[in-house]
Amino acid sequence: MPGLLRGIARTAVVAGTATAVSGRVQRHQAEKYAGRDAQIDADRDAAYEQQVAPADVPAQRAAPDDTLDQLQKLGDLRSQGVLTEEEFAAQKARILGG
C-alpha cells in the first residue's frame, strides 16, 4: 500500500509540473507573438488604406456648382457660430480637396 501511494504522489507531482511548464511556455509564446501580430495588423490596415484612398478621391470631388453651394453653407454655419474658425478651415480644405 505505501508503494501505491508513493506512485500516485509521484504521478501527481510530475503531472502538476508538466502543466505548470506547459502554461508558462504558452504564455511566453503568446507574449512573443503579440507584438508581431499587432505589426502585421497595422501593415495590413496601412496597405488597405493605400488601396482604398486613391479610388475614393474622384468620387469625393464635387461639381463646381455643388462646391460653391457647400462653401456658402459652410460660411453660413461659421457666421451663425455653429463652426469655429478651425473647423471652418478644416471643412473648407476638405471640400476643396486640399
Side-chain angles (χ1 to χ4, degrees):
M1 205 61 172
L4 179 62
L5 288 177
R6 190 174 312 145
I8 292 172
R10 183 178 303 141
T11 301
V13 167
V14 169
T17 302
T19 301
V21 169
S22 172
R24 206 171 313 134
V25 168
Q26 187 177 11
R27 281 190 301 277
H28 175 71
Q29 287 178 339
E31 291 170 1
K32 177 180 175 182
Y33 294 117
R36 184 193 70 172
D37 292 344
Q39 184 61 41
I40 289 171
D41 288 342
D43 292 344
R44 247 187 233 145
D45 290 343
Y48 176 77
E49 289 299 323
Q50 287 176 351
Q51 290 175 351
V52 172
D56 288 347
V57 170
Q60 291 177 353
R61 298 211 187 267
D65 292 334
D66 190 34
T67 301
L68 184 58
D69 290 341
Q70 288 179 352
L71 289 173
Q72 287 175 341
K73 289 177 185 176
L74 199 61
D76 291 342
L77 290 173
R78 181 184 60 174
S79 65
Q80 294 171 4
V82 175
L83 293 177
T84 64
E85 286 297 323
E86 293 82 20
E87 292 169 333
F88 173 78
Q91 290 300 320
K92 179 181 167 186
R94 183 188 61 79
I95 290 170
L96 296 175

